[in-house]
Amino acid sequence: MIMSRQVEAVLGYLKHALKARSKYHIHSPFVFGFYQNVLKDEHTYTQYRVVNRLRKELETASRFIKRKDLGAKCKDFPCDQRFVRVKDVVHHSSVTRKKGEFLFRLILQYKPSSILELGTSLGISSIYFGLAAPESKIITIEGCLDSANLARENFLKAGLKNIQVITGNFEEKLADAFLEMPLPDLVFFDGNHRKEPTLSYFNQCLQHVHPGTIFVFDDIHWSLGMEEAWNTIRLHPRVKVSIDLYHMGIVFFREELSKEDFTIRF
Ligand SMILES: C[S@@+](CC[C@H](N)C(=O)[O-])C[C@H]1O[C@@H](n2cnc3c(N)ncnc32)[C@H](O)[C@@H]1O
């Protein structure tokens, strides 16, 4: 019998919740620091207001953009549609507030001075990065021209000048990004959520890591393929600590850490 996607998703989440460690079972001081300072930091940073205002503006916009059909994240969204409402793009593609604020705190904690993002869309996650690290260099790659242009407008509205958008396919443009940013401190993988492309981007980015680099993968349990990709990534010999938050996976390469996988409820 074929299980519906919803049932699969509920079972997957239950499995994750059962596996998740409580703070009393996190013995690594490094991961405990992540838990306390990133996951559990409930402070309402004033910068959040900038994104909330912008998100609201996009959610109520009557404007349409021409959408290029890229990536796999189309399960609830008609990817073959040429013109789409901006508000539908925000709803289906942009990071949620919870994820965005988590990314913001991750940046505050680890202070990356160079950030690379695969998948800009309208720029919401890039804005969280930019607000958390206004002095850092941020490069974000997007294959859909109209989305990239709207993201540029949004960066201006948010008062951010440190984000560079590269337009084109990841497959072609990653090399250009590495010319400008040979050793990124943080890479956010948020486009083309399929097994083979995700592993291919991971392997390309792996050539450009240093021990302090952090990789963040969105939607690691979104499909069987993404779960398989995540398992390959976390088991990779160069990966030291992996943290499975269900909706996101975080990977650290620090040499001083012992190889260990953590599942934490978020
Ligand atoms: C989930 S959205 C990114 C959302 C964005 N990070 C945010 O939270 O605001 C993924 C984006 O990646 C782009 N994308 C997917 N596959 C791509 C590829 N192979 N090359 C370039 N862009 C791609 C899509 O056009 C889409 O805009």
Side-chain angles (χ1 to χ4, degrees), residues 67-73 89 92-96 103 117-126 140-144 147 168-171 188 190-194 197 201 218:
R67 192 167 187 279
K68 194 171 165 185
D69 182 11
L70 281 163
K73 216 174 169 182
V89 181
H92 292 290
S93 302
S94 304
V95 277
T96 58
L103 291 170
E117 176 179 61
L118 283 79
T120 320
S121 190
L122 307 183
I124 297 291
S125 48
S126 323
T140 177
I141 312 177
E142 174 54 56
C144 170
S147 299
N169 279 332
F170 305 149
E171 290 71 11
F188 181 39
D190 190 18
N192 207 354
H193 296 67
R194 285 187 261 238
Y201 309 144
D218 190 51

Side-chain angles (χ1 to χ4, degrees), residues 34 38 102-111 186 216:
F34 166 87
V38 182
F102 160 78
L103 291 170
F104 177 91
R105 298 191 302 271
L106 187 77
I107 303 297
L108 285 193
Q109 172 75 357
Y110 299 108
K111 303 180 178 41
L186 187 139
V216 180

